[in-house]
Amino acid sequence: MVSEFYNNIRKKLRRVFTNKGIVIGSYRFSYRIIPVALICLLALIIFFSLIGRLFKGGKTPKPADTPTPTQSEETANNTPGDGQEATPETQEPQENIGSTENDGENYYAIMKGTEQKALFATEAEANKFLSDIKAEFVDPNDKSAKVTIEPELKVEKVPQSENSAENLTKDARALLNTLLYGSNEENIYITTDSDTMWDIAVAHGIGVEELLAANPDIDPNSLHGGMEVKIKVGQGEVSVKAEYETTKEEDIPYDTIYEESSDLYAGEEEIVTWGRKGRKAITTKTTKINGITVSEEITEEEIITEAVTEVIKTGITGGDDSSEEEGSEESQEEEGESTEEDTAE
């Protein structure tokens, strides 16, 4: 039964798939039509899928049951749980310059002790005035320096009822120059051939930058004897003090020890222990007043690696014996010469 069933199927397939092509009813198709039919079928599938997307708008609908998180929920989600660390947003620290608006009740005074030196409408203006004084001699971007004004100048809030608006500082730059450099009176200094702008500034207790600013027509590299240099007479009321702390590494030289040894002949040397340089870190504190270095001291020395002392053996053996042998050889040569002379006679 089974074999008959398979034979019938085989006969039907042979009728359809003949050597000349595929026979379906009264129609016969070549085998070449198969790949063409597959391509057409694939094209139809793609075409209908595109039509379906166009009708749907090509968008995926948002599920109705998906809630939008509120700000409080987001904050709760960002709160660290057990074993987690919070990651706060990093913000660059900004210098607090104070309010840029007047509150209508107070002004801001620059005080030197109990003496009022300047008056500004806002706290920001007063703090900027102090920053400008420091910036005369220290770069504001130099964070390595500890900068102070001596004597100290402070910003204090004063009531407007006790200070008229007419007393507000009009020319902050002129006041700054007076506080730092004093009056505008000048003396004339006649240079010598050995003078430098640095020497002149130190001798008169002023800064090099101040001296150069007062003499813009003088080239410091072409200074020679007989030139006229302007020196401001008055001295300022305040000065800018900058303290720098720097650390650098230096080599530590090693010592050398010579030891006499009878194991070596005189003039011979043998290194027992090779010397090695050490290393140390030196912390230096430098103090500048108005840009001029007034002190420099070492505050700390830390040994990183110790130096190793070099030990050298020097020979002492054979020095006297060799001289005696040389003397005996010379005497033998003299005796031989005298014997030869006697024989000849």
Side-chain angles (χ1 to χ4, degrees):
M1 295 291 295
V2 176
S3 59
E4 291 180 0
F5 175 76
Y6 281 113
N7 289 332
N8 291 331
I9 292 176
R10 191 178 299 172
K11 290 178 181 179
K12 291 180 179 181
L13 289 175
R14 285 179 178 176
R15 290 176 184 173
V16 175
F17 297 98
T18 64
N19 294 333
K20 295 182 180 181
I22 300 173
V23 178
I24 300 176
S26 60
Y27 298 98
R28 178 180 296 173
F29 303 96
S30 173
Y31 287 115
R32 297 177 181 177
I33 200 174
I34 294 177
V36 176
L38 292 175
I39 292 173
C40 293
L41 179 61
L42 181 60
L44 288 173
I45 293 173
I46 294 173
F47 173 75
F48 284 112
S49 66
L50 291 176
I51 293 298
R53 287 191 178 185
L54 288 175
F55 279 107
K56 291 182 180 180
K59 298 181 180 179
T60 303
K62 183 178 179 180
D65 57 348
T66 304
T68 302
T70 62
Q71 184 175 2
S72 59
E73 290 175 348
E74 290 179 355
T75 305
N77 293 334
N78 292 331
T79 303
D82 296 338
Q84 295 181 345
E85 295 183 359
T87 55
E89 295 182 358
T90 57
Q91 296 181 352
E92 295 183 359
Q94 296 181 352
E95 183 181 359
N96 183 16
I97 62 173
S99 175
T100 58
E101 297 181 359
N102 186 271
D103 57 9
E105 297 181 357
N106 301 287
Y107 290 137
Y108 295 86
I110 302 295
M111 303 296 296
K112 178 188 173 186
T114 59
E115 182 183 2
Q116 179 176 307
K117 306 304 297 184
L119 187 66
F120 295 96
T122 66
E123 185 180 8
E125 291 176 339
N127 286 326
K128 182 180 182 301
F129 180 76
L130 297 182
S131 298
D132 289 342
I133 291 178
K134 297 177 181 179
E136 281 290 296
F137 301 103
V138 182
D139 185 357
N141 296 322
D142 186 0
K143 304 302 181 183
S144 64
K146 178 184 177 182
V147 186
T148 56
I149 300 175
E150 296 184 349
E152 183 182 11
L153 296 179
K154 297 187 296 183
V155 177
E156 292 186 4
K157 187 184 296 185
V158 294
Q160 291 186 9
S161 58
E162 301 177 4
N163 295 270
S164 171
E166 296 179 355
N167 296 329
L168 291 174
T169 300
K170 303 297 189 298
D171 192 344
R173 182 66 209 182
L175 177 60
L176 183 149
N177 289 334
T178 302
L179 288 175
L180 279 176
Y181 307 119
S183 66
N184 293 325
E185 297 180 9
E186 296 176 341
N187 280 340
I188 301 299
Y189 172 79
I190 306 300
T191 62
T192 63
D193 290 334
S194 60
D195 277 335
T196 64
M197 296 299 273
W198 172 271
D199 297 331
I200 298 172
V202 172
H204 292 83
I206 60 176
V208 177
E209 294 182 357
E210 179 187 354
L211 184 62
L212 293 175
N215 298 273
D217 55 334
I218 295 180
D219 182 3
N221 298 321
S222 302
L223 199 66
H224 57 81
M227 298 180 68
E228 295 183 355
V229 177
K230 298 175 183 178
I231 308 294
K232 288 188 176 181
V233 177
Q235 293 188 356
E237 299 182 40
V238 298
S239 58
V240 178
K241 179 182 179 181
E243 294 178 332
Y244 302 84
E245 192 172 80
T246 57
T247 301
K248 63 179 180 179
E249 293 186 4
E250 290 184 359
D251 288 333
I252 303 175
Y254 59 84
D255 297 326
T256 303
I257 298 177
Y258 293 90
E259 297 179 349
E260 295 182 348
S261 174
S262 58
D263 297 334
L264 300 174
Y265 290 106
E268 293 184 344
E269 291 184 348
E270 179 182 342
I271 297 178
V272 180
T273 304
W274 289 92
R276 185 173 65 249
K277 293 180 180 180
R279 198 74 176 166
K280 63 181 177 181
I282 301 176
T283 301
T284 305
K285 180 182 178 181
T286 304
T287 303
K288 293 184 177 182
I289 302 294
N290 289 354
I292 300 176
T293 301
V294 295
S295 67
E296 191 171 10
E297 59 178 339
I298 296 176
T299 58
E300 184 182 0
E301 284 193 17
E302 180 183 359
I303 304 298
I304 301 174
T305 55
E306 296 282 355
V308 178
T309 301
E310 185 168 276
V311 180
I312 301 176
K313 283 184 178 181
T314 58
I316 58 173
T317 301
D320 297 337
D321 296 342
S322 61
S323 60
E324 292 178 358
E325 290 177 357
E326 291 177 357
S328 61
E329 289 178 357
E330 290 177 357
S331 60
Q332 288 177 2
E333 289 179 357
E334 291 177 355
E335 291 178 356
E337 291 177 357
S338 60
T339 304
E340 291 177 357
E341 292 176 356
D342 296 339
T343 305
E345 291 176 355

